[in-house]
Amino acid sequence: MRRLDIQGCFSNIYTHTISWAIRGKAEAKDPDARNAWYTVDSAFDRIWRSVNHNETHGILIGPEASRIFAELILQEVDAIAEKAILEKHGLSHGREFEVRRYVDDYFLFANENSVCDRVEERIRRCLAIYKLQINESKTDQYEKPFTSKLSSAKRMISRSFQEILDRALERREDGVPRRINLERDLLSQFKMVVSQFDCRYEECTGYAFTVIADFATRLPVRSRIQLLDAGVIALAARFLELDFRYSIAIRVTRFFLELSSQPQADQAAATELKRRVDSHVATEFISIVSNALGRSPVPGQELASFLVATASIDSIHRSASSAAKLVWDWCADEASEDKLDYFSVISILYFCGNRTQYDNLRIDIIASCRHFLEASRTSHQRADSAMLCADLATCPFIRRSDREFFAGLLKSWTQASVSKRKIAADAWGTNMFFDWGLRGYPDSSDGTNDDVDVTDSEFSSDSESTLFYMVEKKLLVCYE
């Protein structure tokens, strides 16, 4: 079996090739046909460029629609490759060889290496037609039985981790727990296994951390406290620093929350467990954030997701509140007249909530948002600006006057005939693109909403629905 990987598949897709795949390259490049907006492929191409700064090189990673976009191209590659292999080499799929593809990974099966070589060569040629290529560093070959280096590494991780974790729970004859450093022992074991089987950290961190989390969260309170004393929270933080991806950030945060929750324990034991977990988490939080900000490039979206996921851990806000300021300082340094990261702004505001220690930080963030949206020459043409305005207009943590300002911007961009004050007042606490999680929470930002004087003729429908209509209208303009 031979495994092939398309190099940076989504990042390297040339958007116009969707028309090549659906209508054929010759017709797609025909001057009379290439700008035919009425075709599905042209519309798909246009929409996908509009959400990526009109770039033709690469498509967004994550949305399910991106998977559909890629499949329309790659299935055409599969079809022409199968036909070429039969015509050029006389090899029939399903008889002399088998090929299975999962998204951007090809798996070739044949009884002879020479057959795999010919099949691979044709796949490469067909991918090149669509400006795609194989990642040489990820090409692997396996002999029967098909046991990959990765599966062998995972088995070793599971077995060795279990032994070390079991030792962490052992006690001496006098009943005192054995002294063991999980951060040191498990991390060094992990690195040794990854190196031994020639794997990459990102291939193994998720599995390794799942082994740790499954073991720890099944334990009673007393045993969990032993793991805390042995450094299991610091270990989780080092795994995240080793592989700072969205999926790992969410797993680590979920582990923090699940480890501190033990419904079967008595109240005193459960309280002590939560106190200890929260204390350890707060200690590691600054280290995790500082590590992320020290990377090049900074994993901005992953860090934003981490802030959202940890916002409910009170101990962080008591002893590590400076982390939010560090993230905002980075975001502000990266900002320009035409750039302000939507995800970072919204995530930091959600992390801060309405806690008083963040009052000055919230003021700074909103001032920067107001300046960006007013000063940028392209704000009225951008989807991210409309999304930012809509989410800030409904944000329950900022002053009503600021919410009115953002509602007013949307009003001016869409030329809607509805009061910005009424929208800001009635839509407070609702959700547009981001779920603030506080619907119905009392508004205490800068007075009540009762002083809004709007006539029925000025506002004749539900404010939230009107705000949705305004944003929808704005986004349609962005996509045209």
Side-chain angles (χ1 to χ4, degrees):
M1 183 188 79
R2 188 174 300 177
R3 178 180 178 178
L4 310 175
D5 174 84
I6 301 174
Q7 184 169 340
C9 181
F10 287 77
S11 299
N12 287 318
I13 284 179
Y14 178 52
T15 63
H16 292 337
T17 57
I18 192 171
S19 295
W20 304 358
I22 292 177
R23 289 187 284 141
K25 191 171 183 178
E27 181 180 344
K29 284 185 168 291
D30 186 321
D32 297 327
R34 65 189 305 180
N35 292 323
W37 280 33
Y38 54 83
T39 59
V40 171
D41 51 280
S42 292
F44 209 172
D45 179 3
R46 187 170 65 255
I47 290 172
W48 234 232
R49 282 185 283 115
S50 72
V51 297
N52 194 26
H53 304 288
N54 213 34
E55 293 283 343
T56 57
H57 184 80
I59 61 175
L60 298 181
I61 298 174
E64 285 300 314
S66 290
R67 173 76 182 276
I68 297 171
F69 195 104
E71 282 296 329
L72 289 170
I73 296 169
L74 294 178
Q75 286 187 25
E76 180 62 16
V77 170
D78 296 345
I80 60 177
E82 181 179 352
K83 182 179 179 182
I85 292 167
L86 179 61
E87 292 178 351
K88 302 293 182 180
H89 303 293
L91 300 174
S92 177
H93 185 254
R95 190 169 60 192
E96 286 86 8
F97 72 96
E98 286 279 357
V99 175
R100 295 289 182 267
R101 179 176 59 79
Y102 179 71
V103 192
D104 57 352
D105 288 316
Y106 281 96
F107 299 88
L108 284 53
F109 300 87
N111 290 326
E112 300 177 14
N113 281 333
S114 59
V115 174
C116 278
D117 291 340
R118 283 176 280 180
V119 172
E120 178 183 343
E121 185 263 341
R122 283 295 156 184
I123 290 175
R124 286 176 178 269
R125 288 194 179 192
C126 294
L127 285 170
I129 296 172
Y130 292 88
K131 301 184 180 294
L132 297 171
Q133 60 186 8
I134 295 297
N135 186 341
E136 304 293 348
S137 66
K138 291 188 177 181
T139 297
D140 291 311
Q141 182 144 324
Y142 310 97
E143 304 297 332
K144 291 182 179 179
F146 297 135
T147 300
S148 68
K149 294 178 181 178
L150 179 58
S151 61
S152 297
K154 288 182 176 180
R155 283 196 295 272
M156 177 67 77
I157 287 170
S158 178
R159 184 167 59 251
S160 60
F161 275 32
Q162 187 69 43
E163 292 174 359
I164 295 172
L165 289 166
D166 285 339
R167 285 206 308 271
L169 297 180
E170 292 177 358
R171 293 176 176 267
R172 300 185 321 212
E173 292 182 359
D174 58 3
V176 177
R178 294 186 181 277
R179 295 185 64 84
I180 187 170
N181 188 325
L182 287 177
E183 178 186 359
R184 178 197 62 207
D185 295 351
L186 281 178
L187 205 58
S188 61
Q189 176 68 19
F190 174 76
K191 291 180 177 180
M192 185 195 72
V193 172
V194 169
S195 175
Q196 177 182 341
F197 290 96
D198 194 26
C199 297
R200 301 187 309 277
Y201 287 144
E202 59 266 27
E203 291 179 311
C204 302
T205 46
Y207 178 81
F209 189 73
T210 297
V211 172
I212 297 167
D214 286 349
F215 179 90
T217 53
R218 287 198 297 263
L219 296 173
V221 170
R222 184 183 180 188
S223 297
R224 293 189 190 193
I225 290 176
Q226 274 188 254
L227 289 188
L228 289 174
D229 293 339
V232 72
I233 295 295
L235 172 67
R238 300 297 85 77
F239 266 105
L240 179 55
E241 292 171 0
L242 195 65
D243 183 14
F244 211 115
R245 287 179 294 150
Y246 170 81
S247 60
I248 305 300
I250 296 303
R251 288 188 191 188
V252 168
T253 307
R254 185 181 298 122
F255 172 65
F256 291 162
L257 297 172
E258 291 178 352
L259 190 65
S260 65
S261 174
Q262 178 55 282
Q264 286 76 32
D266 64 78
Q267 185 62 40
T271 301
E272 175 62 13
L273 173 66
K274 187 175 189 314
R275 185 192 68 78
R276 290 205 185 193
V277 171
D278 287 356
S279 175
H280 284 285
V281 169
T283 300
E284 295 298 334
F285 187 79
I286 287 286
S287 172
I288 292 172
V289 171
S290 298
N291 176 277
L293 293 174
R295 291 170 176 260
S296 182
V298 172
Q301 293 190 21
E302 291 80 0
L303 185 54
S305 300
F306 182 64
L307 290 181
V308 170
T310 54
S312 64
I313 301 177
D314 291 335
S315 60
I316 290 174
H317 301 288
R318 288 194 298 268
S319 56
S321 59
S322 59
K325 180 67 164 57
L326 292 175
V327 179
W328 171 245
D329 286 345
W330 164 77
C331 183
D333 288 343
E334 292 289 308
S336 65
E337 182 178 307
D338 291 317
K339 178 185 176 184
L340 184 63
D341 188 67
Y342 163 82
F343 295 102
S344 296
V345 168
I346 297 300
S347 299
I348 297 170
L349 284 174
Y350 180 79
F351 177 82
C352 295
N354 57 2
R355 298 175 179 89
T356 55
Q357 64 264 43
Y358 300 114
D359 285 349
N360 291 333
L361 179 56
R362 275 193 300 271
I363 291 172
D364 288 345
I365 293 172
I366 296 306
S368 295
C369 291
R370 292 180 70 142
H371 175 75
F372 164 71
L373 293 169
E374 283 186 310
S376 174
R377 295 187 297 271
T378 59
S379 285
H380 65 288
Q381 300 172 331
R382 294 170 50 168
D384 59 343
S385 296
M387 293 168 64
L388 183 61
C389 265
D391 282 333
L392 292 176
T394 60
C395 178
F397 309 127
I398 66 177
R399 295 174 299 187
R400 188 175 61 192
S401 57
D402 290 321
R403 296 199 303 273
E404 289 177 0
F405 169 82
F406 297 115
L409 274 183
L410 276 175
K411 170 182 165 67
S412 66
W413 290 343
T414 58
Q415 298 181 342
S417 57
V418 60
S419 166
K420 67 179 183 181
R421 297 186 67 204
K422 181 63 175 176
I423 290 175
D426 287 3
W428 179 93
T430 59
N431 301 312
M432 291 297 291
F433 298 96
F434 185 83
D435 184 356
W436 296 110
L438 285 178
R439 182 180 293 274
Y441 197 87
D443 182 3
S444 58
S445 54
D446 59 351
T448 67
N449 293 325
D450 298 334
D451 59 348
V452 180
D453 183 17
V454 182
T455 64
D456 290 339
S457 60
E458 190 177 7
F459 186 79
S460 57
S461 63
D462 178 75
S463 290
E464 182 180 3
S465 300
T466 302
L467 188 55
F468 271 110
Y469 169 76
M470 289 167 61
V471 175
E472 180 183 40
K473 180 179 177 181
K474 173 60 184 165
L475 292 179
L476 289 173
V477 171
C478 292
Y479 291 150
E480 286 181 354

